[in-house]
Amino acid sequence: MNKNNKAFILGSYHCCYSFTAKEMPSMGETVMGYRFKMSGGAKGHGQMLAAALAGAKVSGIMRVGDDEYGHLCIKDFERAGIDCTHVKIDKDHATGAAGVMLNERGENIIIVVPGANAQITTRDIDDAKPMIRECSVAGFQFENNFDAIEYAIKEAHALGVETMVDPAPVVKFDEELYRYITYMKPNEHEASLLSGIQVSDYETAVRAGRILLDKGVNKAVVITMGGSGAVLVERNGEKVFPCAPVPVRDTTSAGDTFAGAFVAGLASGMELSEAVIHAVCIAACAVKRGPQESIFEFFPKEEELETMKENYRKIL
């Protein structure tokens, strides 16, 4: 049973340069694109915003550079009502950077240079312990200094906080860490790498989820599968959640929106299946957005979201 509606997320942020072309270039190939966008974001940034807009009281732990993008990140958080007490401006390292390539179907390839994100330390986590102790759920991704990530997961677990890990980008880690993870949310690619099972359909997703549970994930694994939806694997069963039927325009932030909304659902005390439905419907709003829209523009209002969820339950 969750204590409250509070969550913290170990964040990350990059200045993003996005290029869209009809098709992705092959190795050594140059292609002409038709759209360029400069923006800010990252897995931790998107998850923090999604969790806050989806109803959680969110605090962040992260570092940004003392530059234009770092200050823009903090403005985003303040706009969403996120507690930035433990979001530090690092005067010695620039804000991280990411290059995103998109094709006309909204598929993407991303390269990330972490910058200030990699400078988070265990001391940053220790400084935030009074805040961590008050939370019900903690969200993590792997775009930071991994020593600090691992330490934060273990400390949150020790303080009785449920942990939700989005293992992206996949890195090698001591498998003892699994036993400190309450929920894991890999996509099909990440689940394949972590489980050794090539995830290509619902059956293989369930097999991969079972392996991750056997490795030590405490309660559940949710594997997101792009246009095929998501699979929830618990110790006593599994359930398939198809995508909400919406037109797909851009998939760039869908996974992070799902992860943040899932954290919010858990923090609010939703049953696990309801938290997944919450995340599926909010993520659907992300993929149908226009390429220039921010999360503040595409995020559904409460009434719209409830209607989406009601209609979605009819197709389950």
Side-chain angles (χ1 to χ4, degrees), residues 20-23 34 102-107 248-249:
T20 304
K22 184 176 180 180
E23 296 293 343
Y34 58 85
L102 294 149
N103 63 21
E104 64 181 357
R105 295 180 296 281
E107 299 166 330
V248 177
R249 299 183 66 187

PDB file of all heavy atoms in Angstrom, residues 20-23 34 102-107 248-249:
ATOM      1  N   THR A  20      14.578  15.187 -39.135  1.00  0.00           N
ATOM      2  CA  THR A  20      13.600  14.267 -39.709  1.00  0.00           C
ATOM      3  C   THR A  20      13.793  14.168 -41.221  1.00  0.00           C
ATOM      4  O   THR A  20      13.928  15.181 -41.909  1.00  0.00           O
ATOM      5  CB  THR A  20      12.164  14.744 -39.414  1.00  0.00           C
ATOM      6  OG1 THR A  20      11.999  14.905 -38.012  1.00  0.00           O
ATOM      7  CG2 THR A  20      11.148  13.730 -39.914  1.00  0.00           C
ATOM      8  N   ALA A  21      13.832  12.937 -41.720  1.00  0.00           N
ATOM      9  CA  ALA A  21      13.930  12.670 -43.150  1.00  0.00           C
ATOM     10  C   ALA A  21      12.952  11.558 -43.500  1.00  0.00           C
ATOM     11  O   ALA A  21      12.401  10.899 -42.614  1.00  0.00           O
ATOM     12  CB  ALA A  21      15.355  12.262 -43.532  1.00  0.00           C
ATOM     13  N   LYS A  22      12.739  11.342 -44.797  1.00  0.00           N
ATOM     14  CA  LYS A  22      11.827  10.280 -45.209  1.00  0.00           C
ATOM     15  C   LYS A  22      12.294   8.940 -44.678  1.00  0.00           C
ATOM     16  O   LYS A  22      11.506   8.151 -44.166  1.00  0.00           O
ATOM     17  CB  LYS A  22      11.728  10.245 -46.740  1.00  0.00           C
ATOM     18  CG  LYS A  22      10.718   9.225 -47.263  1.00  0.00           C
ATOM     19  CD  LYS A  22      10.586   9.306 -48.776  1.00  0.00           C
ATOM     20  CE  LYS A  22       9.564   8.275 -49.269  1.00  0.00           C
ATOM     21  NZ  LYS A  22       9.412   8.340 -50.748  1.00  0.00           N
ATOM     22  N   GLU A  23      13.596   8.660 -44.784  1.00  0.00           N
ATOM     23  CA  GLU A  23      14.178   7.419 -44.283  1.00  0.00           C
ATOM     24  C   GLU A  23      15.470   7.733 -43.532  1.00  0.00           C
ATOM     25  O   GLU A  23      16.121   8.742 -43.793  1.00  0.00           O
ATOM     26  CB  GLU A  23      14.477   6.438 -45.422  1.00  0.00           C
ATOM     27  CG  GLU A  23      13.246   5.957 -46.174  1.00  0.00           C
ATOM     28  CD  GLU A  23      12.338   5.085 -45.319  1.00  0.00           C
ATOM     29  OE1 GLU A  23      12.794   4.587 -44.266  1.00  0.00           O
ATOM     30  OE2 GLU A  23      11.162   4.889 -45.706  1.00  0.00           O
ATOM     31  N   TYR A  34      13.701  17.113 -43.982  1.00  0.00           N
ATOM     32  CA  TYR A  34      12.713  18.171 -44.221  1.00  0.00           C
ATOM     33  C   TYR A  34      12.274  18.868 -42.932  1.00  0.00           C
ATOM     34  O   TYR A  34      11.453  19.765 -42.972  1.00  0.00           O
ATOM     35  CB  TYR A  34      11.486  17.618 -44.948  1.00  0.00           C
ATOM     36  CG  TYR A  34      10.765  16.482 -44.257  1.00  0.00           C
ATOM     37  CD1 TYR A  34       9.801  16.732 -43.275  1.00  0.00           C
ATOM     38  CD2 TYR A  34      11.029  15.163 -44.603  1.00  0.00           C
ATOM     39  CE1 TYR A  34       9.128  15.695 -42.651  1.00  0.00           C
ATOM     40  CE2 TYR A  34      10.356  14.116 -43.986  1.00  0.00           C
ATOM     41  CZ  TYR A  34       9.403  14.390 -43.013  1.00  0.00           C
ATOM     42  OH  TYR A  34       8.735  13.366 -42.399  1.00  0.00           O
ATOM     43  N   LEU A 102      14.894  11.001 -37.034  1.00  0.00           N
ATOM     44  CA  LEU A 102      13.541  10.457 -37.183  1.00  0.00           C
ATOM     45  C   LEU A 102      13.257  10.187 -38.646  1.00  0.00           C
ATOM     46  O   LEU A 102      13.698  10.941 -39.523  1.00  0.00           O
ATOM     47  CB  LEU A 102      12.510  11.455 -36.668  1.00  0.00           C
ATOM     48  CG  LEU A 102      12.505  11.770 -35.175  1.00  0.00           C
ATOM     49  CD1 LEU A 102      12.041  13.196 -34.942  1.00  0.00           C
ATOM     50  CD2 LEU A 102      11.606  10.800 -34.447  1.00  0.00           C
ATOM     51  N   ASN A 103      12.487   9.121 -38.932  1.00  0.00           N
ATOM     52  CA  ASN A 103      11.979   8.947 -40.294  1.00  0.00           C
ATOM     53  C   ASN A 103      10.515   9.379 -40.337  1.00  0.00           C
ATOM     54  O   ASN A 103       9.937   9.764 -39.315  1.00  0.00           O
ATOM     55  CB  ASN A 103      12.186   7.515 -40.789  1.00  0.00           C
ATOM     56  CG  ASN A 103      11.411   6.475 -39.974  1.00  0.00           C
ATOM     57  OD1 ASN A 103      10.425   6.795 -39.293  1.00  0.00           O
ATOM     58  ND2 ASN A 103      11.849   5.217 -40.034  1.00  0.00           N
ATOM     59  N   GLU A 104       9.896   9.325 -41.507  1.00  0.00           N
ATOM     60  CA  GLU A 104       8.540   9.830 -41.658  1.00  0.00           C
ATOM     61  C   GLU A 104       7.506   8.996 -40.913  1.00  0.00           C
ATOM     62  O   GLU A 104       6.378   9.436 -40.709  1.00  0.00           O
ATOM     63  CB  GLU A 104       8.170   9.914 -43.144  1.00  0.00           C
ATOM     64  CG  GLU A 104       8.129   8.583 -43.864  1.00  0.00           C
ATOM     65  CD  GLU A 104       7.782   8.738 -45.337  1.00  0.00           C
ATOM     66  OE1 GLU A 104       7.520   9.877 -45.761  1.00  0.00           O
ATOM     67  OE2 GLU A 104       7.783   7.718 -46.064  1.00  0.00           O
ATOM     68  N   ARG A 105       7.892   7.796 -40.459  1.00  0.00           N
ATOM     69  CA  ARG A 105       6.974   6.959 -39.677  1.00  0.00           C
ATOM     70  C   ARG A 105       7.090   7.238 -38.176  1.00  0.00           C
ATOM     71  O   ARG A 105       6.411   6.618 -37.363  1.00  0.00           O
ATOM     72  CB  ARG A 105       7.254   5.478 -39.953  1.00  0.00           C
ATOM     73  CG  ARG A 105       6.969   5.068 -41.401  1.00  0.00           C
ATOM     74  CD  ARG A 105       7.265   3.613 -41.641  1.00  0.00           C
ATOM     75  NE  ARG A 105       8.673   3.282 -41.464  1.00  0.00           N
ATOM     76  CZ  ARG A 105       9.616   3.532 -42.375  1.00  0.00           C
ATOM     77  NH1 ARG A 105       9.299   4.139 -43.520  1.00  0.00           N
ATOM     78  NH2 ARG A 105      10.872   3.194 -42.153  1.00  0.00           N
ATOM     79  N   GLY A 106       7.957   8.178 -37.818  1.00  0.00           N
ATOM     80  CA  GLY A 106       8.114   8.533 -36.417  1.00  0.00           C
ATOM     81  C   GLY A 106       9.092   7.660 -35.659  1.00  0.00           C
ATOM     82  O   GLY A 106       9.277   7.828 -34.458  1.00  0.00           O
ATOM     83  N   GLU A 107       9.743   6.706 -36.327  1.00  0.00           N
ATOM     84  CA  GLU A 107      10.761   5.877 -35.674  1.00  0.00           C
ATOM     85  C   GLU A 107      12.014   6.714 -35.460  1.00  0.00           C
ATOM     86  O   GLU A 107      12.272   7.654 -36.211  1.00  0.00           O
ATOM     87  CB  GLU A 107      11.062   4.645 -36.529  1.00  0.00           C
ATOM     88  CG  GLU A 107       9.846   3.756 -36.729  1.00  0.00           C
ATOM     89  CD  GLU A 107      10.032   2.731 -37.830  1.00  0.00           C
ATOM     90  OE1 GLU A 107      10.785   3.010 -38.785  1.00  0.00           O
ATOM     91  OE2 GLU A 107       9.410   1.661 -37.738  1.00  0.00           O
ATOM     92  N   VAL A 248      -0.343   7.607 -35.268  1.00  0.00           N
ATOM     93  CA  VAL A 248       1.027   7.771 -34.770  1.00  0.00           C
ATOM     94  C   VAL A 248       1.765   8.790 -35.628  1.00  0.00           C
ATOM     95  O   VAL A 248       1.928   8.601 -36.833  1.00  0.00           O
ATOM     96  CB  VAL A 248       1.782   6.426 -34.777  1.00  0.00           C
ATOM     97  CG1 VAL A 248       3.227   6.633 -34.333  1.00  0.00           C
ATOM     98  CG2 VAL A 248       1.084   5.425 -33.878  1.00  0.00           C
ATOM     99  N   ARG A 249       2.216   9.868 -34.997  1.00  0.00           N
ATOM    100  CA  ARG A 249       2.949  10.909 -35.724  1.00  0.00           C
ATOM    101  C   ARG A 249       4.405  10.992 -35.289  1.00  0.00           C
ATOM    102  O   ARG A 249       5.270  11.343 -36.073  1.00  0.00           O
ATOM    103  CB  ARG A 249       2.260  12.259 -35.513  1.00  0.00           C
ATOM    104  CG  ARG A 249       0.827  12.301 -36.031  1.00  0.00           C
ATOM    105  CD  ARG A 249       0.217  13.673 -35.855  1.00  0.00           C
ATOM    106  NE  ARG A 249       0.872  14.669 -36.676  1.00  0.00           N
ATOM    107  CZ  ARG A 249       0.611  15.981 -36.604  1.00  0.00           C
ATOM    108  NH1 ARG A 249      -0.285  16.429 -35.725  1.00  0.00           N
ATOM    109  NH2 ARG A 249       1.244  16.831 -37.376  1.00  0.00           N
TER     110      ARG A 249
END
